[in-house]
Amino acid sequence: MKTPSVLKRALIDIRDNGFINLVAVLTIAFSVIICGAFLMCWTNVNHWIDDAHAHVRVMVYLQPECSADQIEVIFKQIRENSAVADVRFVSRDQAMTDMKVLMKNQTSLLDGLRVNPFPDSFEIRLKPDINHPKDISAFAEKMGSISGVENVEYGQQWLERFAGIVQVVQLIGYALITLFFMASAFIVANTARLVFLSKQEEIEIMRLVGATDRFISTPIYLEGVIQGLTGGLLGLGLLFGLYLLLASRIGSGAIPGFFIISFLPVNTTLVILAACMIAGWIGCLIAVRPFLRA
Amino acid sequence: MGFSGGPEQEKPMSAFLELGIFIPIILFRVNENSVFRPLCHILFVRPGKTGMSENLQQPIIRMFHVSRQYGAQKVLTDITLDIEPNTFLLITGPSGAGKSTLLRLLYLAEPVSQGQIIIDGVNTARVSRRRKPVFRRIFGVVFQNYRLILTKTVFDNVALPLEVMGERPDMIRKRVHAILRAIGLENRLHAYPITLSGGEQQRIAVARAIVRNPKLVLADEPTGNLDSDSADIILNLFEGIHQNGATVIIATHDRTLIDKMGNRLIQLEKGALVGDFKKDTCFPESVNYDSESFAGLKSEVP
Ligand SMILES: Nc1ncnc2c1ncn2[C@@H]1O[C@H](COP(=O)(O)OP(=O)(O)O)[C@@H](O)[C@H]1O
Ligand SMILES: [Mg+2]
């Protein structure tokens, strides 16, 4: 069987059954958007977590009555600690300006404040090998005991609590992906079945003039794979559009190193496309088998 | 089993029989009176029984006590029939006699209820469901209601039997164009069957049946809807493919077809084979096949 003629027959089929093919493609695209969005959140959160693990960030807030000399002493003490990779002093004025940049349009809210509510602080990044919760809390305690320090905050507390949730979310994600994969396969199966039913007389005639099962079903399989690919591309395209929209809203990179969201990695998009095509193929397999056995 | 003896066992006799074939021919040329008719039937008309050169004389179709019934209704009863290669066989009989059913059994559209059909040396009962389409490629079939594919153009309909065999596109195009020219429809290449007249559709159906140059052509009322000009075109096609060596089997009521064509005619009635006639050297005069005069002719039904 010549490939081009099979492709031609598949495309003619798609044209002749435009509406149900469109429904199948849209369903697949919808599935891709849901699953893709999930995967996107997932990879980003993982990214953040990894990032947070790589360089644990600790904020040391100072008491308001600290003098400049005292601040200098505290700075020395922090810098001499072996766990510290680097340390940056953030003055209360600096904190205020940072906040204004972050809030962009809502600066009037801050302008209304008569006094600057931010304390002076040190922003500390720990060395990469200091990422065990025990080490971190020990470090935080040490910092807290320095005189002039009001309190110490670190994201790790929040991250550790989050780890449990992450696992649950991961499970839900797998279930979601499986569900939508099955839904896609099912909708393609349904389409293929409708195509088959609408062409029963034609298929019977083809058999009578010598068409094998393979000759008859190959274009239908191809149709399923094309549906999967089209749906996958459409879904990824729409997802990318959504991503761009979202990224521009959040103002990607406003706080360096933290609120950057990125799109799905290339590998993942390829896997999604492959999964769509496989779903299309499996759908056809499900639909076509009973007809060929009859 | 009556036909279990293969041709290889009969080979030693073939030299004798090949010589023998000329004797009845000479005899019939000399004298066509009834004394020699039984001899004619034994040695010449049904040489398959005695096994001549296997390619030429092994029946291409052998039906052996074939019956077909739908529930309790017997549609064909105990048909035993050998069809030699290159026969032009006409099947007649009143409507409902089972002509179409007989053809459907031959192209494996339905199974026999009893008996066996051997086609081209293959026991059709042994052809698996998957192999049936491949097996059918030795046939070209003109179906009773044409059965053209309405969603395909004339070209695609006629090309289909070649496409399913994986022929090269340029070869397909050439062949389809040639055959459409032969039936005078080359200008309707891209038309859809619905836009054609009944006669034109029927011509397309015939074109599709013979486009593959099949060894066996089966046609169910192929001239039913044709005006006489179209019918002539079709009959010429059948004659041409017959002359090329194909075996042609046509179920028909059509008087002109019966008068003009064929070298053998069988008659069915209520599912039974009631008449089997040669229209060849044994019966050289134009034979009247009106149903009344059938009775007057020598029947070969066993
Ligand atoms: N699929 C079927 N189911 C039941 N009866 C059938 C079927 N096909 C044909 N018949 C019956 O078999 C008989 C012979 O039909 P058919 O072979 O079409 O006759 P013909 O072609 O000689 O007119 C008819 O009585 C018809 O009603
Ligand atoms: Mg009929």
Side-chain angles (χ1 to χ4, degrees), chain A:
Chain A
M1 204 187 309
K2 307 286 173 299
T3 317
S5 86
V6 174
L7 188 64
K8 194 180 120 201
R9 286 194 290 136
L11 293 176
I12 287 172
D13 254 8
I14 291 174
R15 186 199 64 195
D16 291 349
N17 301 284
F19 181 70
I20 47 177
N21 272 286
L22 185 69
V23 170
V25 165
L26 290 180
T27 310
I28 295 167
F30 178 75
S31 305
V32 165
I33 290 173
I34 301 291
C35 294
F38 175 81
L39 283 173
M40 209 167 98
C41 295
W42 177 251
T43 43
N44 276 295
V45 167
N46 264 335
H47 198 72
W48 298 337
I49 291 171
D50 287 350
D51 206 46
H53 272 300
H55 288 288
V56 176
R57 213 173 292 261
V58 179
M59 295 301 290
V60 174
Y61 297 103
L62 305 184
Q63 288 163 350
E65 57 275 6
C66 267
S67 66
D69 289 347
Q70 227 176 333
I71 291 172
E72 191 63 31
V73 171
I74 295 169
F75 178 63
K76 254 185 202 150
Q77 263 183 292
I78 292 174
R79 210 177 43 185
E80 277 157 15
N81 190 301
S82 61
V84 174
D86 62 68
V87 54
R88 183 170 77 103
F89 177 68
V90 182
S91 71
R92 47 202 311 240
D93 296 336
Q94 179 67 44
M96 186 67 173
T97 347
D98 282 354
M99 199 53 172
K100 277 182 177 166
V101 168
L102 199 64
M103 295 183 69
K104 272 182 198 156
N105 307 322
Q106 284 90 6
T107 45
S108 55
L109 216 80
L110 296 175
D111 292 340
L113 294 171
R114 229 163 291 140
V115 285
N116 180 353
F118 296 104
D120 290 325
S121 61
F122 285 104
E123 185 187 322
I124 303 166
R125 291 202 314 146
L126 297 186
K127 286 182 177 154
D129 53 322
I130 311 293
N131 57 15
H132 196 274
K134 246 197 241 160
D135 297 341
I136 297 164
S137 58
F139 175 80
E141 227 165 274
K142 209 176 213 171
M143 291 298 114
S145 64
I146 298 172
S147 70
V149 170
E150 171 86 38
N151 70 340
V152 179
E153 267 181 18
Y154 57 101
Q156 206 60 24
Q157 296 158 319
W158 177 74
L159 280 176
E160 294 315 318
R161 217 172 305 131
F162 196 62
I165 301 170
V166 163
Q167 265 174 359
V168 175
V169 173
Q170 191 173 20
L171 271 177
I172 293 172
Y174 287 149
L176 205 69
I177 288 168
T178 313
L179 198 74
F180 277 100
F181 183 84
M182 276 159 53
S184 296
F186 178 78
I187 199 83
V188 172
N190 220 31
T191 309
R193 192 161 57 234
L194 285 174
V195 170
F196 243 91
L197 283 174
S198 73
K199 300 205 309 174
Q200 253 184 335
E201 165 73 0
E202 178 176 339
I203 286 167
E204 183 55 30
I205 293 169
M206 288 170 82
R207 282 207 178 114
L208 288 174
V209 304
T212 55
D213 288 348
R214 200 155 71 124
F215 183 89
I216 292 165
S217 57
T218 307
I220 292 180
Y221 285 128
L222 199 60
E223 215 177 307
V225 172
I226 290 173
Q227 280 171 1
L229 186 64
T230 316
L233 286 173
L234 184 67
L236 285 174
L238 290 174
L239 189 65
F240 190 69
L242 284 177
Y243 158 76
L244 288 181
L245 209 71
L246 195 70
S248 72
R249 276 288 159 79
I250 292 183
S252 117
I255 305 177
F258 203 69
F259 254 154
I260 290 178
I261 65 166
S262 50
F263 194 61
L264 295 169
V266 178
N267 279 351
T268 312
T269 55
L270 291 181
V271 167
I272 288 176
L273 286 180
C276 289
M277 290 193 277
I278 291 171
W281 185 74
I282 289 178
C284 289
L285 202 69
I286 295 167
V288 164
R289 268 179 58 168
F291 285 96
L292 295 188
R293 237 185 279 138

Side-chain angles (χ1 to χ4, degrees), chain B residues 96 99-101 144 220-221 251:
Chain B
K99 305 183 292 294
S100 301
T101 307
Q144 187 152 28
D220 201 343
E221 315 273 2

Side-chain angles (χ1 to χ4, degrees), chain B residues 10 12-22 24 43 47 50-53:
Chain B
E10 296 161 344
M13 288 181 72
S14 67
F16 165 73
L17 286 166
E18 267 161 33
L19 187 69
I21 191 170
F22 293 105
L43 285 179
T50 49
M52 297 295 219
S53 146

Side-chain angles (χ1 to χ4, degrees), chain A residues 2 201-202 204-213 215 292-294, chain B residues 107 129 133-134 136-137 143 147 149 151-152 160 163-164 166 208 212:
Chain A
K2 307 286 173 299
E201 165 73 0
E202 178 176 339
E204 183 55 30
I205 293 169
M206 288 170 82
R207 282 207 178 114
L208 288 174
V209 304
T212 55
D213 288 348
F215 183 89
L292 295 188
R293 237 185 279 138
Chain B
Y107 60 77
R129 202 201 62 81
V134 177
R136 287 189 189 117
R137 291 176 187 176
F143 304 101
R147 298 190 82 170
I149 296 175
T151 55
K152 286 185 191 288
L160 187 61
E163 270 173 5
V164 300
R208 183 178 66 187
R212 203 154 49 190

